[in-house]
Structures are given as structure tokens and as C-alpha cells.
Amino acid sequence: MRVVVCTKQTPSTTAVITVDAEGKVSWDDPGGKPNVVNPWDEYGIEEGIRLKENHGATDVIALSVGGEDSKEALKTSLAMGCTEAVLVSDESMVGSDTLGTARILAAAINKLGDVQIALFGKQAIDGDTGQTAVQAARKLGWTPLTFVSAIKEVGDGSIVVERMLEEGKEIISAQLPVVISVVKEINEPRYPSFMGIRKASRAQIPSWSAADLAIDGGIGAGASKVDWSQVYGIPPREGSVEIIEADTAEEQARILVDKLFEEKVI
Amino acid sequence: MSGVWVWIENRDGAISIIGSETISAARTIADSLGQTVTGLVLGHDVAGVADEAFDLGVDAVIGCDDASLAHFRVEAFGPLVTRLAQENTPSVLLAGASIRGRDLMAWVAADLDAGLISDGIGIAVDGDTIKVTRPVYAGKLMATVFVTEGPQVITLRSRAFPQAESTGKSGTAQWVEPAVAEEAVPSKITGLETKDEGVSLSDASIIVSGGRGVGGPEGFEPVRELAEVLGGAVGASRAAVDAGWIAYEHQVGQTGKTVSPDLYIANGISGAIQHQAGMRTSKIIVAVNKDADAPIFKLAHFGIVGDLFQLLPAITSEFRKRLGK
Ligand SMILES: Cc1cc2nc3c(=O)[nH]c(=O)nc-3n(C[C@H](O)[C@H](O)[C@H](O)COP(=O)(O)OP(=O)(O)OC[C@H]3O[C@@H](n4cnc5c(N)ncnc54)[C@H](O)[C@@H]3O)c2cc1C
Ligand SMILES: Nc1ncnc2c1ncn2[C@@H]1O[C@H](COP(=O)(O)O)[C@@H](O)[C@H]1O
């Protein structure tokens, strides 16, 4: 059984993100690495590796669509224990909407061939859309299983998973192949081992272009049906905090409760 | 291409809060566009839901009542909505940005080859185009995005729009057949475990949260008491969740839930950027923290510098008095 893990390189969670007058977004992380594996994808990578360790997956292939620098994120996935990594990179892909990205990912998964499970993160922390997994599933013609919190059984041609929904949990069984998006509850991602890091640093990661793939439908900015040109900083909140001071906690409580009734939020 | 469609999320025979919010947003959009609102009522034993939808102000209902739709599965719902949209060509399709709404709209947009926008928190109609505001980069930036061509498929975040109000109107739904027979749905739900422990974080209009400052699992007691008196939900920082003091489903923040209640009371939470990502759109934020320099005070509207173990019980008893509880 071959497993693919889709992972995107995103700004780190502590990155300071700025946007200029033209709406061009840039970021830096003075304290750490500005670019990381999308934090939600770490759970997908870990689960892929566990499918190899516990459910007999033969290959766990990390797949990313992005610039050359996304190889960094792929190296992290190799260092954690993925058996292979592939970058898909092409100027013509820049500016794709989620459907365009889904088309590229689906085409790459088809090219990898014989894949039974494609793992995705819940969402990418830059666009924060959480749409790509289902859309890739449609392009592959596979069943999407989103918000998966446990893989219970992997049988011959079928899978049983637990999903986390707003009001509780659901156990669902489906025929393979499937697309799975995972939530944090599913596992605790491991740290890359020292050996893993050494191996990953020497790895040659192949880079596929659009011409290497049979992409079905439009990709890139030209085919995107969503206009993303207006991105801006959040206007600072008006006014500053009102600190409530008084001699006793009871008095402070009374003043606060008064204010909250005045604000009509109770 | 005309008409604003809204998928009306329902559960146990009643419209969910997020379903009602989406109806009100659909109404606003349709009125600006000069179009009608059609509600999609899909499920099993949902005749009452259709009536409720008319009462909440939709102009028409297309319904499908079938055992295969008793529980949401996107492989059953997706092809049905896609088929209906292909037959009727609405200009806008809306759903709540719940787990199910997201799945459904991603499926339908992919099959219609349509532009898809998720997690809208604001809408403005500009000509025929819906301009959607939504947070990006974990709430560090905002964007105004729109679909450039064809049907506009949009999901809306919970609590960003008011609930629809009763209009007293009624109507007759148009009932259609399911798109996929049960045998052909490729997945089966074999177990459901619903938890019923008070108000859910995403629906709550009041959230009382605790962080590392509560000091241990028992430190959540005063937090819970205040939440209970206010009919609110309990939230937590990741530090408290990682320490094992409270379950992950209570975590607010970038790697937890995004919430936007009317009132968010943060106790013993420093206000790290990842925590802010999950709660900064709350209407009124109150911070209780013994460190006057804690970043949470930069975000808060009201703050008390002090020990939460003294302040929380005082606030709870003051509310008890005022609310007559
Ligand atoms: C990838 C990533 C994702 C993350 N995702 C999230 C997330 O989703 N949600 C989240 O919350 N965090 C998240 N974090 C963690 C975040 O960076 C902070 O570490 C965390 O929010 C801190 O929690 P805290 O405020 O409870 O603890 P602290 O920062 O330790 O703050 C505790 C506060 O309690 C106050 N205090 C102590 N005792 C008392 C008392 N008796 N009375 C009053 N005040 C008191 C202190 O003054 C202090 O300000 C994430 C981090 C990373 C790296
Ligand atoms: N460019 C990309 N390359 C690889 N995987 C991606 C890419 N974009 C999105 N994904 C996957 O899709 C998931 C959801 O992303 P999104 O829909 O953009 O929030 C991510 O967690 C990744 O697993």
C-alpha cells in the first residue's frame, strides 16, 4: 500500500506578517525559521509514517506544490520518516485557487500511481481555507474523509476512521482509495531524529513541472476564479484597555459587571 | 444565472444556529441583488425543517427527504446539490463554515468548476459580486475576496451573522429525489457518539477561558462556575490543554477552535499570538491576569490586574446576584 502525504510550506506561527500598499504579503521570524511545514500537516506526516509502522504501508511519499524553497518542508518530512518526497513546481502554477491546487495534487498523486490513501492537514495556516482535501478527492474520484481523529482499521480495500464533528464523534467505513484530512487529536507528531536529519539533508528531491503531469483543467492565476488582491492589516482596535481598579476584589467585580451590562453582552 | 441558495444545516428536526445565521446572510445578499432566497432542506423527516425555513424568511424551499440523508455524508449530499445547481443555475450558493458546510461546498464547487470562498465574516454586495471579508494568516491579516466568474460558492463562519428571525410566512416546498441510492454511497456511518456537555464553543455567545494561570485541573472550577452562571462555554489556552488540565476540544487558538463570542473572559492567559488568532474577533474581551504587562491587555476592552482565584469567585457571585441565580 502506497500512502501520499500532502504538505505545504507556510510561514511559522510566530512569523511577523506584513503587507505593503500593493497587497503583497511578506513575513519574517526574527526568533526562528520563517518557513515551516504547515503545522496541521505535521499530523498528516506522522499518521503516514504510522501507517507504515502499523498497517504495512510500503511507501510514504511527501508531496508539495510550491516554489523550490518548499524543499525545506519536504526535507523535514523525510527527516521525520517519509520514504520519498516530490516537489511540484512550475511558474504556471503560481496564483492557483484551491481548485487549481487540487487539480495539481490529484495529477501528481495519479502519476505516483497505486496510492490508496492521501493524507492532508486540516487546513493551511496561510490561506486558512481547509478546502483542498475535498476538492482533490473530487479530482481523483476518491471518497473524502475530513476531520479524521483516528484511523481505526485498514483492511483489504477498506478503511474505518473516526471523525471529529462539532457535536461528537462519528465512526465511518469507506472503500479505498480515500483522501483523509486529519485533526490534531489523531497523534503527537515526532521530532525528526538525528539520523533522519542527516539522511534528509543528502536526499535528492525530484521536482516535477506541469509538463510532467496530466492536469485536468485550469491552473495558476489565469484559471483562478477567486480574486485575492485585497489583503490588508487589521486596523488596530480603537481605544485601549480600561483597567478596573478598586480596593477590593468585590468592588472590582461590581464595576466590571456594571460595564458588561452596559455593553449589552450579557 | 439567478437566485441565492442556502444550504440549511439542521439536526434532530430543527434548523441549527449556523443554519439560521446563513439564512439571514442569504436574505441580505438576495435583497441587495434583487433576487430570491432558496433554501435547500436535505435530510430525513425534514418536513418541519422546511416549514421552519419559510418562517425564517426563505422564499422557496427545495427539499429532499430520504433515509440516505439521515446523517450527513458528503458523497450523498454533494451530488444532489451539484445536480440541483446544474438544473437551476443559482448565482450564489451559501453554507455555514461548519465541518459539514465546508465539505459540501468544496465538493459542489469542484464539480461545478466554481470559485469557492470559505470562512466569510463579512459580506458586501457590489454589483453582482459578493465581496467577502475573511481573516487570513491565522487572523494576522484580513482579506476582501470575491469570485470572479460563474456561481459564487461561499461558506460563512458561525456567529458572524445574526440569526434569522421569525416572519410568520409559510410556503410549499418542492421535494426532489436523492441523487445517489444508498447502496451506491461509498461510505457507511457505523457509530455516532454525541457528547452533550453544555454549550459548544463555536455556538457560545459567552466564553470563559482559563490558561496556565489556573494552576491545575481544579483551577478550572472557578472558570466553570462563572461560565455556568452566564450560560457560556469553557475555553482554554494550549498551555492548559497540553498540561492535561482540560480536554483539547476546549482549546481556543490557531491550533484549536476559532471563536467569536459577544463576551470572552480570559483568565490566567498571557495572550500569545496563537491564542489571539482564535479569539481576537470577540466583541468584548475581558482579561484577568496578575501581570499588568501581559499582552492580553493590549487586546482586551476591560482588564483587572490581580489574582484570578480572588477575582473569579467575586465576579461569579456578583453575576449571581444581578441575574437572580
Ligand atoms: C505551532 C503553535 C501553535 C499554538 N497554538 C495555540 C493555540 O491554538 N492556542 C493557544 O492558546 N496557544 C497556542 N500556542 C501556544 C502559545 O504560544 C502560548 O504558549 C500559550 O497560549 C500560552 O498559554 P497561557 O497564556 O495559558 O500560558 P502563559 O503564557 O504561561 O500565561 C499564563 C498567564 O497566567 C497569569 N497568571 C498566573 N497565575 C495567575 C493568577 N493566579 N491569577 C491571574 N493570572 C495569573 C500569568 O501572569 C501569565 O500571563 C501555540 C504555539 C505554537 C508554537
Ligand atoms: N501547495 C500545496 N502543496 C501540498 N499540499 C497542499 C498545498 N496546499 C494545500 N495542501 C494540503 O491541503 C491541506 C488544506 O489546505 P487549504 O485548503 O489550503 O487550507 C493542507 O493542510 C495540505 O495538506
Side-chain angles (χ1 to χ4, degrees):
Chain A
M1 183 177 63
R2 278 154 70 80
V3 174
V4 165
V5 185
C6 292
T7 175
K8 186 177 189 183
Q9 180 161 294
T10 60
S12 73
T13 62
T14 42
V16 178
I17 302 195
T18 48
V19 54
D20 68 13
E22 272 81 57
K24 193 175 154 32
V25 177
S26 53
W27 58 87
D28 193 20
D29 191 346
K33 284 210 265 176
N35 293 311
V36 296
V37 170
N38 173 33
W40 293 110
D41 295 349
E42 289 181 16
Y43 303 95
I45 296 170
E46 174 66 32
E47 203 58 24
I49 298 166
R50 289 189 191 189
L51 283 170
K52 176 162 169 277
E53 291 170 345
N54 307 329
H55 292 284
T58 46
D59 312 272
V60 185
I61 308 150
L63 172 64
S64 190
V65 177
E68 271 300 305
D69 62 341
S70 296
K71 284 191 176 165
E72 275 311 305
L74 289 171
K75 289 207 163 150
T76 306
S77 62
L78 287 175
M80 283 173 75
C82 287
T83 57
E84 237 177 277
V86 174
L87 175 69
V88 180
S89 193
D90 198 309
E91 273 305 310
S92 68
M93 295 171 180
V94 176
S96 295
D97 58 7
T98 52
L99 191 51
T101 305
R103 288 187 176 113
I104 300 165
L105 288 170
I109 292 167
N110 281 331
K111 182 178 164 89
L112 285 166
D114 196 26
V115 174
Q116 295 297 305
I117 300 176
L119 290 158
F120 286 68
K122 182 178 94 137
Q123 67 194 62
I125 64 162
D126 45 7
D128 271 333
T129 57
Q131 296 166 165
T132 309
V134 172
Q135 298 204 306
R138 285 312 294 148
K139 291 299 149 196
L140 288 160
W142 299 1
T143 301
L145 301 168
T146 58
F147 282 74
V148 169
S149 48
I151 293 179
K152 298 265 189 199
E153 283 166 40
V154 186
D156 198 17
S158 70
I159 189 165
V160 181
V161 303
E162 175 189 271
R163 298 180 65 210
M164 256 213 349
L165 301 171
E166 277 99 356
E167 78 285 1
K169 288 177 174 161
E170 175 181 284
I171 309 286
I172 191 155
S173 71
Q175 301 302 309
L176 295 173
V178 293
V179 163
I180 288 179
S181 86
V182 300
V183 294
K184 186 178 184 230
E185 291 224 313
I186 196 164
N187 59 41
E188 190 64 54
R190 70 193 67 192
Y191 289 102
S193 65
F194 178 68
M195 284 299 289
I197 294 169
R198 276 204 15 203
K199 232 171 103 192
S201 69
R202 290 193 302 260
Q204 288 299 318
I205 297 176
S207 185
W208 293 348
S209 71
D212 295 321
L213 303 174
I215 300 171
D216 171 25
I219 56 166
S224 166
K225 291 195 166 126
V226 182
D227 181 298
W228 269 98
S229 58
Q230 295 171 61
V231 180
Y232 41 88
I234 299 170
R237 193 170 67 71
E238 304 218 348
S240 57
V241 60
E242 183 176 338
I243 297 288
I244 296 168
E245 289 175 327
D247 290 338
T248 63
E250 286 68 31
E251 187 59 16
Q252 285 172 308
R254 201 184 55 70
I255 301 172
L256 175 69
V257 170
D258 273 341
K259 304 252 180 217
L260 294 178
F261 274 106
E262 262 168 52
E263 295 284 348
K264 299 197 173 18
V265 287
I266 305 291
Chain B
M1 217 163 38
S2 171
V4 176
W5 279 23
V6 48
W7 175 58
I8 303 181
E9 191 156 355
N10 60 84
R11 210 183 133 202
D12 301 331
I15 295 178
S16 313
I17 293 173
I18 195 161
S20 170
E21 292 166 353
T22 343
I23 293 174
S24 92
R27 185 77 266 162
T28 309
I29 293 172
D31 290 349
S32 312
L33 291 172
Q35 298 183 6
T36 57
V37 176
T38 298
L40 301 180
V41 172
L42 317 176
H44 191 37
D45 291 332
V46 286
V49 176
D51 294 339
E52 194 186 350
F54 280 115
D55 180 52
L56 293 181
V58 307
D59 303 303
V61 168
I62 300 177
C64 183
D65 197 326
D66 193 83
S68 66
L69 306 175
H71 295 290
F72 181 89
R73 280 171 303 171
V74 72
E75 312 93 276
F77 281 58
L80 177 56
V81 176
T82 302
R83 189 192 77 202
L84 292 169
Q86 281 163 342
E87 290 166 1
N88 298 277
T89 62
S91 59
V92 180
L93 280 103
L94 292 180
S98 61
I99 294 171
R100 297 176 170 115
R102 255 171 216 289
D103 277 9
L104 182 59
M105 290 298 124
W107 178 297
V108 171
D111 282 17
L112 294 177
D113 195 4
L116 169 62
I117 292 171
S118 74
D119 282 287
I121 61 166
I123 43 178
V125 176
D126 180 1
D128 293 334
T129 304
I130 326 285
K131 300 267 173 86
V132 182
T133 33
R134 63 183 305 268
V136 288
Y137 293 95
K140 292 176 191 172
L141 298 178
M142 289 291 285
T144 300
V145 292
F146 57 93
V147 174
T148 51
E149 177 198 334
Q152 308 176 61
V153 187
I154 301 167
T155 65
L156 301 173
R157 207 176 255 185
S158 70
R159 295 198 48 75
F161 299 88
Q163 291 183 42
E165 282 168 22
S166 167
T167 62
K169 286 199 275 185
S170 60
T172 309
Q174 176 201 344
W175 295 100
V176 300
E177 293 299 313
V180 189
E182 177 59 44
E183 310 79 68
V185 181
S187 70
K188 302 281 171 249
I189 297 172
T190 55
L192 270 178
E193 186 188 306
T194 48
K195 52 174 182 328
D196 242 342
E197 28 109 291
V199 191
S200 91
L201 264 186
S202 23
D203 290 341
S205 58
I206 298 180
I207 294 174
V208 187
S209 281
R212 203 196 308 270
V214 308
E218 62 292 338
F220 270 97
E221 266 325 298
V223 174
R224 268 190 208 103
E225 270 173 44
L226 178 56
E228 207 172 290
V229 168
L230 294 175
V234 174
S237 73
R238 173 161 162 183
V241 171
D242 283 354
W245 303 342
I246 187 162
Y248 166 62
E249 63 206 37
H250 294 275
Q251 183 178 319
V252 171
Q254 188 165 18
T255 47
K257 294 213 167 75
T258 305
V259 299
S260 139
D262 293 337
L263 175 60
Y264 188 89
I265 308 181
N267 304 285
I269 293 179
S270 61
I273 183 110
Q274 296 95 348
H275 189 76
Q276 290 189 20
M279 45 68 76
R280 65 182 313 148
T281 55
S282 307
K283 203 158 131 207
I284 296 289
I285 297 167
V286 175
V288 175
N289 195 306
K290 59 181 186 190
D291 173 11
D293 295 325
I296 189 81
F297 287 121
K298 294 218 168 57
L299 198 68
H301 301 82
F302 301 106
I304 304 184
V305 180
D307 184 354
L308 68 93
F309 292 105
Q310 282 172 8
L311 287 158
L312 272 184
I315 297 168
T316 305
S317 84
E318 186 64 27
F319 270 122
R320 274 216 178 93
K321 241 190 291 176
R322 301 284 282 274
L323 297 167
K325 286 189 181 170

